[in-house]
Amino acid sequence: MKQEAGKIKIQECYEKQCRRLRKWGGRIARRVERVPMKRMTVYAAVLLVLSLIPLLLLGRYNVMCIDDYDYGRAVHDTWLETGSLWQSVRTAWRQNMEFYQNWQGTYISCFLMALCPMNFRYDTAYVVPLVMIGMFAVSTFVLGRHILHRWLGCDKTGSSFVMLILLFLFYQVMEAPFEGIYWYNGSTHYIFMESVWFFTLTALSASLWSRKKSGEIGFCILAALLSVIVGGGNLVTGLQAEILMVLVLLYTAVANRRKLLTVCVPLVTGSVGFLFNVMAPGNAVRSELDPSTGYSAVASVLLSFYHAAVFMIRWTPAFAILIWLSLLPVLWKLTARSKGQFRHPVWVTLGAYCVIAAMFTPTLYAVGMVGLARVDNIIQMVYYLCLVMATAYWLGYFNHREAYAAKAAPTQEIDSEKACSGETAGEALGRFLEKTRGSMTAVCLCTALLVWVLTADKNTYASISALRSLVNGDAQTFYTEAMERYEIYTDEDIVDVEVKPYSAKPALFSFDDLSEDGENWLNLAVMQYYHKAYVRLAED
């Protein structure tokens, strides 16, 4: 009897606690629902800024490395000899033309890579993360918000919230933070050029949506100029630009032929620039010197679809899933109010997947491989953009499905059995999102933030890793030792250089160090840059 009485007491206590939890949960949910979208957007902006601060602070300890030496050597020599910025720019262009004839056709990227800020002052490497994060974050935000607002009919405030959260996600799980934020050459060639393409696509779309002739012409000219820059950059971004501009042209031919010229001009200028890139004599010279061989065109395209699926799974960890879940109620609410058209979700999804897959094709065709980290950074961001846009489109389709059916068959009555069977998983999801609303967003975001802060490996997420390197002194120690090396490099009395290995290095600074072998390519690059007899790492 005592045992039964104890069980009953425990059961009553359990039910009492459950009632309390439901009561407090209801109060929290009501408070969350009362938070306006404008305030949520401000909170999201604060979260993004706070997450980027450690990455930018770590940039204070950034240094010149890897290909920065090879591409910047001639400009550095000119600057030391003349002290003239104009002469240095001229040297960069002459080198660019030599590369075009003998090494690679990316005429815009090579020119910019020669003008590395550290050629003029070694301790200015901190500007690299400022430029790269600034360009990529702003261009991604502008493009994503434009698509959500103009093409999907979402309001500007909600679209801003979605993009701020998406950027927070990207910079925490970025495939290669060093190559996309801190390394000048690598980030200029891919992150910077992808940013220019995002601005180009936004300008092209804005010209289509502009109701004023002056706005249409202005945006068209801007897109035409930017598309030339995109055409002279990396081939991954260049191919992506060609595909998307052709798709925009086809859409315009069907939807609004009056604006065909608006799309044709940027398409022509970008295609001419891209042809100059791929037809460069240096590409053929480099392919003969480089033994790497890629797949055939057909095999590269087919393999691209496979690798796209593999990397999409890789780029969707639990943290990304929590962020995605937190955005579902917001996107449902935004698309419910939208007056946009969501009639072809399957085609939109397939199109997005094809765009992602196409970005794997150039490296498969050129060198027969994928997984180049500096390339993966931009593909990863395109994947997240496509994921959010496709999700919004599907939710818009489920929101307006009944209206589309009513317009398609206004005189037909849908019997109750058909209506019941037509209540698909998407509609069930819609009812769930309507019920949970802001509570789901708050719970998923809070859970994601807990995972972000409390993860066991502090190098899992970029901002936490950067903060750790700043707090434990790795960044400061690394920079002090790097500057000690620089003093040796610039000492004209020292021609035979041996430097000590770094005793500490931030986890995000994942570049290779010098070798004990003086004939190592990186050792030779540093040796030639500073005009030494040899440079090597002292034996540890």
Side-chain angles (χ1 to χ4, degrees):
M1 294 292 293
K2 289 183 178 181
Q3 289 181 350
E4 291 181 3
K7 289 181 179 179
I8 293 173
K9 191 173 182 180
I10 291 172
Q11 181 68 23
E12 291 176 351
C13 182
Y14 172 76
E15 291 177 355
K16 184 178 180 181
Q17 295 301 323
C18 286
R19 286 195 296 271
R20 286 183 177 179
L21 286 174
R22 284 195 293 269
K23 182 179 178 181
W24 282 104
R27 288 181 180 178
I28 293 172
R30 286 191 293 273
R31 288 184 180 181
V32 169
E33 288 301 324
R34 288 198 293 267
V35 177
M37 180 55 70
K38 286 186 178 180
R39 190 180 300 175
M40 289 176 61
T41 304
V42 172
Y43 293 156
V46 171
L47 173 64
L48 176 62
V49 170
L50 289 176
S51 70
L52 292 179
I53 287 175
L55 298 176
L56 295 173
L57 290 178
L58 185 62
R60 167 66 182 81
Y61 306 100
N62 192 26
V63 295
M64 193 173 185
C65 60
I66 320 178
D67 285 346
D68 295 344
Y69 293 107
D70 278 331
Y71 282 83
R73 182 171 65 247
V75 172
H76 180 247
D77 290 343
T78 301
W79 175 253
L80 291 179
E81 292 171 5
T82 66
S84 169
L85 181 60
W86 171 244
Q87 291 297 328
S88 300
V89 172
R90 291 182 63 185
T91 299
W93 185 255
R94 284 197 300 269
Q95 175 180 282
N96 182 35
M97 291 298 95
E98 291 175 4
F99 279 10
Y100 186 83
Q101 295 294 329
N102 302 310
W103 188 242
Q104 65 188 99
T106 52
Y107 53 91
I108 297 295
S109 288
C110 287
F111 176 65
L112 294 176
M113 288 190 289
L115 294 173
C116 176
M118 290 79 85
N119 292 330
F120 307 98
R121 183 172 172 178
Y122 186 77
D123 60 355
T124 56
Y126 64 87
V127 305
V128 178
L130 286 171
V131 172
M132 298 308 162
I133 290 179
M135 277 288 292
F136 201 61
V138 171
S139 64
T140 303
F141 176 84
V142 169
L143 176 62
R145 184 173 179 266
H146 176 83
I147 294 173
L148 286 170
H149 176 59
R150 287 297 186 184
W151 293 90
L152 302 185
C154 304
D155 68 70
K156 292 182 178 180
T157 304
S159 301
S160 299
F161 172 81
V162 171
M163 291 310 303
L164 290 168
I165 295 297
L166 183 64
L167 283 168
F168 166 73
L169 164 65
F170 172 72
Y171 277 106
Q172 299 317 303
V173 298
M174 191 176 185
E175 180 73 11
F178 170 72
E179 299 189 18
I181 297 175
Y182 302 103
W183 177 28
Y184 178 76
N185 271 40
S187 56
T188 296
H189 195 34
Y190 290 98
I191 289 292
F192 188 87
M193 287 301 165
E194 188 73 14
S195 301
V196 175
W197 163 237
F198 285 169
F199 281 129
T200 306
L201 187 57
T202 306
L204 178 62
S205 178
S207 69
L208 291 177
W209 282 94
S210 178
R211 296 180 180 179
K212 295 182 179 179
K213 196 66 178 179
S214 58
E216 178 183 339
I217 295 173
F219 282 120
C220 177
I221 293 173
L222 177 61
L225 295 174
L226 292 177
S227 63
V228 176
I229 298 175
V230 174
N234 70 81
L235 299 181
V236 175
T237 300
L239 179 61
Q240 177 196 13
E242 291 296 300
I243 293 172
L244 285 176
M245 282 198 286
V246 168
L247 291 177
V248 172
L249 178 67
L250 294 175
Y251 170 83
T252 308
V254 174
N256 190 355
R257 293 185 181 181
R258 188 180 63 82
K259 299 251 184 176
L260 271 177
L261 185 61
T262 301
V263 181
C264 285
V265 173
L267 175 59
V268 170
T269 57
S271 298
V272 170
F274 189 63
L275 282 175
F276 269 103
N277 188 341
V278 298
M279 299 299 290
N283 293 335
V285 174
R286 185 176 183 177
S287 63
E288 292 178 0
L289 296 175
D290 190 348
S292 301
T293 55
Y295 295 97
S296 66
V298 175
S300 298
V301 171
L302 294 176
L303 286 171
S304 295
F305 287 97
Y306 164 74
H307 287 291
V310 171
F311 276 82
M312 285 164 64
I313 295 171
R314 172 176 169 175
W315 292 328
T316 316
F319 183 75
I321 293 173
L322 284 170
I323 296 294
W324 178 75
L325 289 173
S326 72
L327 293 178
L328 286 181
V330 178
L331 292 173
W332 176 264
K333 187 176 180 180
L334 291 175
T335 54
R337 297 175 178 176
S338 171
K339 295 181 180 179
Q341 297 294 319
F342 304 92
R343 294 180 178 274
H344 308 290
V346 175
W347 287 110
V348 168
T349 305
L350 289 176
Y353 181 69
C354 289
V355 169
I356 298 168
M359 298 183 75
F360 289 93
T361 305
T363 54
L364 285 168
Y365 181 74
V367 294
M369 63 177 293
V370 295
L372 297 174
R374 56 189 178 274
V375 182
D376 292 342
N377 282 331
I378 60 175
I379 305 177
Q380 184 183 17
M381 185 71 254
V382 171
Y383 162 58
Y384 287 150
L385 273 173
C386 290
L387 176 64
V388 167
M389 301 309 160
T391 301
Y393 200 96
W394 275 101
L395 293 178
Y397 170 74
F398 290 126
N399 259 310
H400 302 280
R401 187 178 179 184
E402 291 182 3
Y404 297 152
K407 287 182 180 179
T411 58
Q412 295 179 8
E413 294 184 1
I414 303 175
D415 57 68
S416 59
E417 184 180 346
K418 212 167 188 182
C420 236
S421 64
E423 210 164 66
T424 61
E427 293 167 338
L429 173 64
R431 289 200 312 276
F432 173 75
L433 295 177
E434 286 283 358
K435 185 177 180 180
T436 58
R437 293 184 290 182
S439 303
M440 179 176 172
T441 297
V443 169
C444 290
L445 272 181
C446 289
T447 305
L449 292 177
L450 287 174
V451 171
W452 178 50
V453 174
L454 302 178
T455 181
D457 184 357
K458 299 306 179 184
N459 292 321
T460 300
Y461 303 112
S463 295
I464 303 298
S465 179
L467 184 61
R468 176 177 178 271
S469 297
L470 292 168
V471 172
N472 66 16
D474 284 351
Q476 294 85 339
T477 301
F478 166 79
Y479 188 72
T480 300
E481 294 175 354
M483 294 307 293
E484 290 173 355
R485 289 189 181 188
Y486 177 69
E487 291 179 4
I488 296 173
Y489 294 152
T490 54
D491 190 334
E492 296 181 357
D493 296 329
I494 302 176
V495 293
D496 300 330
V497 177
E498 284 194 3
V499 295
K500 298 177 182 179
Y502 289 117
S503 61
K505 189 166 69 171
L508 294 184
F509 289 3
S510 56
F511 61 89
D512 293 332
D513 196 7
L514 297 173
S515 170
E516 295 176 5
D517 178 12
E519 297 301 314
N520 178 272
W521 73 270
L522 182 54
N523 294 47
L524 293 175
V526 177
M527 178 195 75
Q528 294 167 357
Y529 190 87
Y530 292 107
H531 303 285
K532 301 299 181 181
Y534 67 81
V535 174
R536 64 171 173 244
L537 201 64
E539 294 185 6
D540 190 2

